[in-house]
Amino acid sequence: MGEKNRGMTAKTKRIYKWDNLKMVLIFLVVLGHFMNELTLEWDNMKSLYFFIYLFHMPLFLFVSGMFSRKTVNDPIKRRERIIGYVILGFILRFINLAIKIGFGKWNENVFRMWKENGLSWYLFALAMYLGITWLLRDLDRRFLFIMAVVTALFAGYDSTLGSTLVLSRFFVFYPFFLLGYFTDPSREWKRIQGKGWKMGAAAVLLVAFVIVYTNITELWKYRDLIMGWNSYVNLPVPEMGGWYRLLFYLVAILLGSAVIILIPNERGPLTAVGQRTLQIYFWHRPILYILVFLHWEEWLCRIWPSHWKLLYLLVSLLLTVALSWKGFGVPLDYFWRAISARREDAGVKNGGL
């Protein structure tokens, strides 16, 4: 096997496992947003949707945290990223708002300046995570992680958090960011590469999906819990919300670990997609809004009437690959250069996603 296929290049020491993982995760992000349009129409879609959301956002925050250590500890880069994510988040919100206005979909509930329950939450949360992690950097890591978990468990009892300043999701997903921040990407993966690990990981994911599929009617009542937007008030037994969230954390860690184990560490034809996740994340939602407002599902029905929903999901994969084209990264490259004091650090590939 040539040197370029050993998972880590001699020149850059890049571990392809994490690029491949980010490729899978960004596809699941796009797929999840596409599926959101169908969950009310197709019961089978609910199972896949719920299963994906059990782990894909926690795992994405884990990866973001894992590659944020240098940013947190570098005052110049930290400032650039915090400012950049906040500005980029508002730019994305304004683009989406402009699309809704253009298609006549605006009303008084579409836009709230300090409330965000759309795609920009992730960018705002990353900015907050970088800042708060730096402020708490001298605390014992075990104590910090435990406090983050405990705070998240109790935050769910506060019905005033919600989407205001993305505080609900900030608390819910911060433990996963911290787990990544405390993980060394160059070492941890080597311990879990054997066939036995991979077989066990595949079994865990299969069993989890079967459990979700066979119990989706009951599990769907807990959708708000895994999404992280709302308090426990809408759960079947709200006073048990803290225990439900703790169980969600354990399941997310188990399934996320299984996914990591199964991800190959070789460079593949789609590995580059995982190196350009920010541009995919930024552009896919505006495009999906346009497609939805154009009633594109009607076009798909004409193309393949009996299986148009499968075609619908296939488009999400194709869009993910298409948006990884370098041309879609040019505006974001320019953006990072505009706010960066050091141009060599301003590429989209190192944007933290």
Side-chain angles (χ1 to χ4, degrees):
M1 183 181 293
E3 181 63 26
K4 66 179 181 180
N5 293 322
R6 293 180 183 174
M8 182 184 295
T9 66
K11 187 175 182 179
T12 64
K13 302 297 182 182
R14 191 175 193 98
I15 302 174
Y16 293 126
K17 187 179 191 72
W18 305 122
D19 289 330
N20 291 330
L21 176 60
K22 289 194 292 181
M23 178 268 293
V24 171
L25 292 177
I26 195 61
F27 166 64
L28 293 180
V29 168
V30 178
L31 178 64
H33 291 145
F34 270 68
M35 286 194 300
N36 190 53
E37 306 294 332
L38 295 179
T39 52
L40 297 178
E41 300 182 21
W42 195 9
D43 287 340
N44 288 338
M45 192 62 63
K46 290 182 179 179
S47 299
L48 183 58
Y49 184 92
F50 192 94
F51 175 71
I52 288 174
Y53 273 87
L54 280 173
F55 65 87
H56 88 295
M57 289 314 301
L59 194 49
F60 221 136
L61 264 304
F62 171 84
V63 175
S64 295
M66 189 164 54
F67 291 100
S68 293
R69 187 177 302 181
K70 290 183 179 179
T71 301
V72 169
N73 296 320
D74 185 326
I76 297 178
K77 184 180 290 188
R78 182 177 64 250
R79 181 191 64 206
E80 292 171 357
R81 293 305 176 199
I82 291 175
I83 294 174
Y85 288 143
V86 171
I87 295 176
L88 206 57
F90 276 107
I91 291 175
L92 181 56
R93 294 191 71 192
F94 297 153
I95 291 175
N96 289 334
L97 177 61
I99 292 173
K100 292 176 182 179
I101 292 175
F103 281 92
K105 302 296 182 179
W106 181 87
N107 59 60
E108 64 274 13
N109 297 316
V110 165
F111 185 82
R112 291 288 186 271
M113 192 67 177
W114 305 115
K115 290 187 176 182
E116 172 57 22
N117 57 4
L119 201 65
S120 293
W121 81 267
Y122 196 87
L123 298 170
F124 295 144
L126 278 181
M128 297 165 69
Y129 289 154
L130 293 176
I132 197 67
T133 303
W134 176 75
L135 289 174
L136 303 177
R137 66 192 183 281
D138 293 329
L139 294 180
D140 178 78
R141 61 174 57 186
R142 293 182 181 85
F143 174 78
L144 177 57
F145 177 72
I146 292 174
M147 289 305 300
V149 171
V150 171
T151 302
L153 298 183
F154 280 96
Y157 292 103
D158 186 350
S159 61
T160 66
L161 291 180
S163 59
T164 302
L165 299 177
V166 299
L167 286 177
S168 181
R169 279 197 162 184
F170 168 81
F171 288 120
V172 170
F173 292 107
Y174 187 44
F176 299 106
F177 181 90
L178 281 178
L179 275 180
Y181 180 76
F182 295 142
T183 300
D184 183 351
S186 66
R187 296 180 181 177
E188 303 299 331
W189 66 272
K190 296 180 180 179
R191 305 174 183 176
I192 50 177
Q193 292 300 295
K195 289 184 178 180
W197 281 98
K198 292 185 181 297
M199 292 178 63
V204 166
L205 291 173
L206 179 60
V207 170
F209 180 76
V210 171
I211 291 174
V212 170
Y213 184 81
T214 55
N215 296 276
I216 189 57
T217 302
E218 184 65 25
L219 290 175
W220 195 250
K221 301 175 184 177
Y222 298 88
R223 179 190 176 189
D224 285 350
L225 181 75
I226 65 175
M227 299 298 289
W229 281 122
N230 302 307
S231 68
Y232 303 142
V233 67
N234 294 323
L235 296 180
V237 187
E239 58 270 28
M240 292 293 293
W243 293 106
Y244 294 149
R245 178 156 290 164
L246 182 60
L247 177 61
F248 163 58
Y249 282 170
L250 295 176
V251 171
I253 291 173
L254 176 64
L255 298 185
S257 299
V259 172
I260 292 174
I261 291 172
L262 290 175
I263 296 296
N265 192 41
E266 290 86 24
R267 184 180 182 89
L270 296 179
T271 297
V273 174
Q275 299 170 10
R276 300 167 187 160
T277 52
L278 180 56
Q279 66 191 63
I280 300 170
Y281 190 85
F282 186 87
W283 292 116
H284 84 274
R285 192 51 171 158
I287 292 175
L288 180 55
Y289 274 134
I290 293 173
L291 291 175
V292 170
F293 296 153
L294 289 175
H295 303 288
W296 73 301
E297 68 277 6
E298 297 178 3
W299 308 346
L300 298 181
C301 284
R302 297 191 191 101
I303 297 173
W304 200 1
S306 60
H307 294 87
W308 70 270
K309 293 173 183 176
L310 296 178
L311 189 60
Y312 183 103
L313 298 182
L314 177 61
V315 172
S316 68
L317 173 60
L318 298 177
L319 180 63
T320 302
V321 176
L323 290 177
S324 68
W325 175 55
K326 291 183 179 180
F328 287 104
V330 171
L332 298 180
D333 281 331
Y334 176 81
F335 170 81
W336 287 115
R337 285 196 299 269
I339 68 169
S340 178
R342 298 179 300 176
R343 291 174 177 261
E344 67 271 20
D345 292 332
V348 170
K349 295 179 184 178
N350 297 318
L353 281 177

